[in-house]
Amino acid sequence: MSAQLDKIVIEPQSPATSCVIWLHGLGDSGAGFAPVVPVLGLNSQHSIRFIFPHAPEQAVTINGGFVMRSWYDIKSMDLHDRADIQGVMASEQAIRKLIVDQINSGIPAEKIVLAGFSQGGVMSLFTGLRFEQKLAGIMALSCYLPGGETLPEQLADANMHTPIFQNHGEQDDVVPMFAGKMAHDALIAAGYQSVWKTYPMAHSVLPNQLIDIGQWLQQAFK
C-alpha cells in the first residue's frame, strides 16, 4: 500500500483549527462523502478542515476477486473472520500518516476526529482506539469491529475517554445491526464513552442523521 493516500480536502472559510478525517466504505471513494459537508448544519464560520481519503484499489475476495477501492480484503461474511487483519493494519499505517500530517501542520490531535462509514468505520475504530495521542472523537457509521465482539490489541490509554459516536441502520442488510451493537457493547464493557444511535434506514446515511453528526462534531470540538 502507498504510504501517501490520495484525498479530497475541503477547507473552511477561516483558517482551519480542527479536522475531520472521513473514511469511505467498500467500493466507494472520498468523493462519495465529500458532498455531506454543506448538509451537516455547521455554523458558516466553522473552522473545520474535512479530509476524504481514497482507499487503495485491491482485489476483494467476497466480490469474486474484483478489484475496487478497499481498506482491506473481506474474506467471508463471518464477523470473526471478515476483515483481513494484515490489510487492516496496512491501512491503519496510511491513516495514521494522515493524522500525523495534520498534527505537523499545526492542528493538535485533540482537535482531530476520525470518522468512517462501513469499512471506513471499521478503520476509524481500529485506528482511533490504538492511536497514542488523544483525539477529539471517533465516529463509526454502519460498521463493526474486526474481531467481532473483541476489541483490537494494543489499545492506547490516550483515547480511553474519547467520545465515540456509533450509528447504524435498522434495515441494514450489508452490515447487520447486531454487528454494530456487538461492537458498541464491547466498547461499553471496556469502559469507553460510546453513544449508540439507530436510524430507520438500510446501509446508508439519512439527512436527519447528518444533522445529528454535525451537532456531535461541534460538541466534540468544544
Side-chain angles (χ1 to χ4, degrees):
M1 176 179 294
S2 168
Q4 186 69 48
L5 294 170
D6 290 333
K7 57 192 179 293
I8 295 169
V9 180
I10 299 177
E11 295 285 358
Q13 292 181 16
S14 54
T17 59
S18 55
C19 178
V20 175
I21 299 171
W22 196 316
L23 311 171
H24 64 78
L26 177 66
D28 199 0
S29 72
F33 274 99
V36 307
V37 176
V39 291
L40 292 171
L42 300 172
N43 184 304
S44 62
Q45 301 304 308
H46 78 81
S47 56
I48 307 169
R49 172 183 294 140
F50 283 86
I51 297 177
F52 300 93
H54 308 302
E57 294 187 342
Q58 57 185 305
V60 177
T61 300
I62 63 158
N63 287 347
F66 192 77
V67 174
M68 60 184 65
R69 291 198 181 277
S70 178
W71 296 108
Y72 52 85
D73 187 20
I74 299 179
K75 300 182 290 183
S76 77
M77 296 308 291
D78 178 358
L79 268 177
H80 298 88
D81 193 40
R82 179 178 292 201
D84 168 40
I85 197 65
Q86 302 259 317
V88 169
M89 294 180 77
S91 280
E92 178 191 28
Q93 291 307 308
I95 295 161
R96 286 172 64 93
K97 187 174 189 312
L98 288 176
I99 300 172
V100 171
D101 285 349
Q102 290 307 300
I103 295 170
N104 291 341
S105 79
I107 294 179
E110 64 264 24
K111 289 292 184 180
I112 297 173
V113 163
L114 191 54
F117 173 81
S118 196
Q119 256 204 354
V122 174
M123 290 309 311
S124 71
L125 280 175
F126 188 86
T127 307
L129 295 175
R130 287 159 50 95
F131 196 71
E132 299 87 353
Q133 297 182 55
K134 188 180 187 321
L135 300 170
I138 300 168
M139 186 167 65
L141 310 178
S142 305
C143 67
Y144 52 94
L145 283 169
E149 72 277 1
T150 305
L151 293 176
E153 296 180 356
Q154 297 176 311
L155 298 169
D157 291 341
N159 285 298
M160 187 71 213
H161 302 292
T162 295
I164 301 172
F165 193 41
Q166 291 178 269
N167 290 180
H168 218 103
E170 293 155 9
Q171 289 93 46
D172 194 330
D173 59 357
V174 176
V175 178
M177 191 171 70
F178 77 80
K181 187 62 164 58
M182 187 185 295
H184 176 71
D185 291 346
L187 289 164
I188 294 298
Y192 286 90
Q193 315 298 308
S194 182
V195 173
W196 169 258
K197 190 161 187 179
T198 65
Y199 296 85
M201 63 183 182
H203 196 61
S204 59
V205 293
L206 290 178
N208 61 318
Q209 178 193 10
L210 291 172
I211 294 295
D212 291 344
I213 287 171
Q215 291 174 348
W216 180 83
L217 286 174
Q218 291 178 103
Q219 189 66 33
F221 287 133
K222 274 189 174 177

